Amino acid sequence: MGWGDMDPSNGSRLDVCFGVFNASNGHDPAQSSIASPWFSTAFGLIGLGSNLFALCVLLSSSRKLSSQARSSFLVFLCGLVVTDFMGLLVTASVIIPYHFIKFAWAKVDPGCHLCNFLGFSMVFFGQCPLLLGATMAGERFFGINRPFSRSTSVSKRRAWSIVGLVWGFSCLLGLLPVLGLGRYTLQYPGSWCFLTLLPDTGDIIFCLLFALLGIFSVLLSFVFNTVSVVTLCRVYHDRESVQRRRDSEVEMMVQLVGIMIIATICWMPLLIFIVQMVLQQLPAKGQLQMLPTEMQKMLLIYIRMVTWNQILDPWVYILFRRAVLQRIYPGLRPRPSIASLYPVLNLSLRRKLTPS
């Protein structure tokens, strides 16, 4: 019996993750044209190769650095690249075989374990980059605007601890449907699982939690990065500071702004779509049992846009490094640290550190 033939009202365990859309065991020509195995394979290989290349460049750069602020920033970048790489690897290891084999999910995974794992992976590896982007923006905000508000910059160990906390929080978020809040269900065209956009109380809460947290992360990144960019622009246009350019800070901000722009373009359409769908379906609570076909297709398009985030993120670092930027703008040259942005405080620190 295929999962398209199941009665949604029978209350079986299979209905927990199957039956949200009308499937036909993968033999529908329309679904076959959408789920091209070669396209998915090429897409995944490009993403994995890009992240591996960026990781090698990051590890090579981290060995040559003496700046603690830059080192901690590279730790966050490394965490982002590792997250994107693992996200592509885990999801592709399930989705690509489906495109080639076209297996029946209900027969292969009658207990919904594989579907729950894939849904968890989509949420975990989706939310992590957004939270890491906001974390990096916050770290640079305090590093540029409040350089003397803490005794030292974030150490590598503390930076990795922060990355670990982000991973842990995203993991807890992804486990909520497994613990009973919301559901992971098979999505059109039958190759992936994700949160359920139906007017059930648990689904509504989980969808809003996921979407609003993502939107908040993007907006927080925008605020932090905007203030940091304005601060750097004031320094660059200050006549007394023309010769004290902060090239390292500019390099990090260019990369952060690039990451933020990509995350906004790739993620905001999906997050806004989820919020709109959930709020529009609130009056139909308990009545709508299946997402309309057009909405299923729109969700697939938005998810594919999100996947580009994992592919483009590593290229932000690869292309916007100082070595590349100096070729585009030869005027960039190594300058003193961010401390000289505040000459009065810097002078007072020197006096304190100088033996009497």
Side-chain angles (χ1 to χ4, degrees):
M1 179 177 65
W3 25 283
D5 303 322
M6 295 176 190
D7 181 8
S9 63
N10 61 14
S12 68
R13 171 61 182 158
L14 291 173
D15 294 333
V16 174
C17 59
F18 304 114
V20 174
F21 78 96
N22 188 19
S24 54
N25 289 326
H27 299 299
D28 183 10
Q31 290 185 30
S32 299
S33 62
I34 292 173
S36 169
W38 303 110
F39 174 81
S40 300
T41 303
F43 202 73
L45 289 176
I46 292 173
L48 291 173
S50 299
N51 282 280
L52 271 179
F53 180 48
L55 188 59
C56 293
V57 176
L58 273 168
L59 294 176
S60 175
S61 300
S62 63
R63 297 191 187 101
K64 305 174 183 178
L65 284 179
S66 57
S67 169
Q68 190 169 347
R70 182 63 182 163
S71 296
S72 62
F73 183 79
L74 287 184
V75 168
F76 290 121
L77 271 179
C78 187
L80 179 63
V81 171
V82 169
T83 302
D84 287 337
F85 175 81
M86 291 303 299
L88 286 170
L89 182 64
V90 171
T91 54
S93 64
V94 177
I95 294 173
I96 291 178
Y98 170 84
H99 289 326
F100 279 99
I101 303 173
K102 294 292 192 298
F103 57 81
W105 275 80
K107 295 179 181 179
V108 174
D109 182 35
C112 293
H113 301 303
L114 181 61
C115 187
N116 284 332
F117 171 74
L118 186 56
F120 164 81
S121 301
M122 297 288 289
V123 170
F124 173 78
F125 292 111
Q127 196 67 240
C128 272
L130 300 179
L131 294 175
L132 283 173
T135 302
M136 294 162 66
E139 193 276 336
R140 281 293 80 216
F141 169 82
F142 288 107
I144 292 175
N145 294 276
R146 300 287 187 271
F148 298 106
S149 62
R150 43 189 183 168
S151 58
T152 58
S153 299
V154 177
S155 64
K156 280 188 176 183
R157 180 177 297 181
R158 183 172 297 180
W160 276 118
S161 298
I162 295 173
V163 172
L165 287 175
V166 171
W167 287 341
F169 179 81
S170 299
C171 182
L172 289 176
L173 179 67
L175 287 174
L176 288 180
V178 181
L179 299 175
L181 182 64
R183 294 175 296 161
Y184 289 129
T185 50
L186 193 66
Q187 306 290 334
Y188 179 84
S191 58
W192 59 292
C193 292
F194 196 49
L195 44 81
T196 307
L197 300 178
L198 291 179
D200 176 77
T201 302
D203 293 330
I204 290 173
I205 294 174
F206 183 63
C207 289
L208 288 177
L209 184 63
F210 173 81
L212 294 178
L213 182 61
I215 293 173
F216 175 75
S217 298
V218 173
L219 293 178
L220 193 62
S221 298
F222 177 80
V223 172
F224 281 148
N225 289 334
T226 300
V227 176
S228 298
V229 168
V230 169
T231 300
L232 287 179
C233 288
R234 290 160 97 184
V235 172
Y236 264 73
H237 291 87
D238 184 353
R239 292 181 180 179
E240 297 179 359
S241 305
V242 170
Q243 299 303 319
R244 295 194 299 270
R245 296 181 177 177
R246 307 293 89 76
D247 295 337
S248 178
E249 284 79 7
V250 170
E251 178 189 14
M252 289 186 280
M253 284 312 306
V254 168
Q255 293 169 352
L256 265 182
V257 170
I259 292 171
M260 180 190 69
I261 291 174
I262 290 173
T264 303
I265 295 174
C266 294
W267 270 100
M268 288 301 281
L270 173 65
L271 299 175
I272 293 174
F273 173 77
I274 291 174
V275 173
Q276 288 179 335
M277 285 296 300
V278 170
L279 295 180
Q280 288 174 2
Q281 293 178 11
L282 280 176
K285 184 177 180 180
Q287 300 176 7
L288 188 64
Q289 299 295 327
M290 185 179 295
L291 201 63
T293 303
E294 289 303 316
M295 297 299 100
Q296 297 171 22
K297 293 180 179 179
M298 288 298 296
L299 180 60
L300 178 63
I301 292 173
Y302 291 140
I303 281 292
R304 288 184 170 178
M305 289 178 61
V306 164
T307 308
W308 276 102
N309 186 79
Q310 296 171 309
I311 296 176
L312 296 176
D313 267 348
W315 288 103
V316 171
Y317 176 72
I318 293 170
L319 297 178
F320 295 155
R321 289 175 295 136
R322 203 183 320 179
V324 178
L325 293 175
Q326 284 177 354
R327 293 182 182 179
I328 301 174
Y329 182 56
L332 289 174
R333 290 294 182 268
R335 301 289 177 178
S337 67
I338 189 67
S340 59
L341 281 169
Y342 302 85
V344 176
L345 291 175
N346 193 35
L347 180 59
S348 65
L349 283 180
R350 287 182 182 178
R351 288 175 178 173
K352 290 180 180 179
L353 294 174
T354 302
S356 55

